Amino acid sequence: MKLVLATHNPGKLKEMSAILGGLGVEVVMPSDLGLTVDVEETGDTFAANAMLKAKAVCAAAGLPAIADDSGLCVDALNGGPGVYSARYGGPELDDRGRYTLLLNSMRGVPTRSAHFESAIACAFPNGDTLTAEGRCDGAIAFAPIGDGGFGYDPVFLVPEKAKTFGQMTEEEKDALSHRGKALRAFVPKLAAYLKK
Ligand code: IMP
């Protein structure tokens, strides 16, 4: 069975193909099918945005589609940047610009607690849907450390490991990350659905 991954990110395709390959599912990107589906992320939760993307791509492709949506929620910023994580500070900022802006807005703020969230949604042409979520708790560092990963990784500290995501190997991060947890929660649900 073919499943379309509602992303333009080849990194996510690689990560998801590796995990879903074990279920005998072939993961393809919209571009492999000649589709470009730009979905506006207008939901106010990660789960809502993941479902918007999954349903739009499923409708366009006529095939089951999986989407994920994720971001960083900082307690001292009332849960922000949250669903705006990728757009925080405006389109001219890159990853480094975004985490620098975050550190600047947290200057002198003693409450550093934060978490990453990831939501996965799968939509089938018959209207069925599956969802899964994952969360990783941590804290915002006072300065960036490590150059691994992407996005806010260098400023997201996991206290039990005394390391930022930016200092972890892919395997270390995957074992405790929001996306790793969401994917591990999603796989048995998909497997059970496919057996039906
Ligand atoms: P999206 O899920 O592709 O919409 O991305 C949401 C944004 O949240 C990304 O652009 C990153 O800025 C941030 N983000 C999500 N997951 C991670 C992560 O594992 N590490 C660092 N930043 C992340």
Side-chain angles (χ1 to χ4, degrees), residues 7 9 12 41 46 53 68-72 82-87 95 98 116-119 149-154 156 165 173 177-179:
T7 180
N9 182 334
K12 285 188 184 173
E41 296 183 16
F46 299 109
K53 289 189 262 187
D68 83 315
D69 196 50
S70 54
L72 176 64
V83 291
Y84 301 105
S85 295
R87 295 166 271 172
D95 279 350
R98 276 185 284 277
F116 271 115
E117 258 181 66
S118 169
F150 71 101
Y152 299 90
D153 280 350
F156 186 77
F165 270 175
K173 180 182 167 187
S177 81
H178 48 306
R179 195 170 300 99

Side-chain angles (χ1 to χ4, degrees), residues 84-157:
Y84 301 105
S85 295
R87 295 166 271 172
Y88 184 52
E92 65 285 352
L93 292 189
D94 58 7
D95 279 350
R96 183 189 293 264
R98 276 185 284 277
Y99 72 61
T100 304
L101 174 64
L102 175 68
L103 290 181
N104 289 340
S105 35
M106 297 282 290
R107 201 176 283 157
V109 176
T111 306
R112 312 298 295 187
S113 50
H115 67 271
F116 271 115
E117 258 181 66
S118 169
I120 294 178
C122 182
F124 294 88
N126 66 2
D128 287 349
T129 58
L130 298 173
T131 59
E133 293 189 27
R135 168 181 173 135
C136 179
D137 289 293
I140 303 303
F142 289 94
I145 319 173
D147 51 16
F150 71 101
Y152 299 90
D153 280 350
V155 300
F156 186 77
L157 188 65

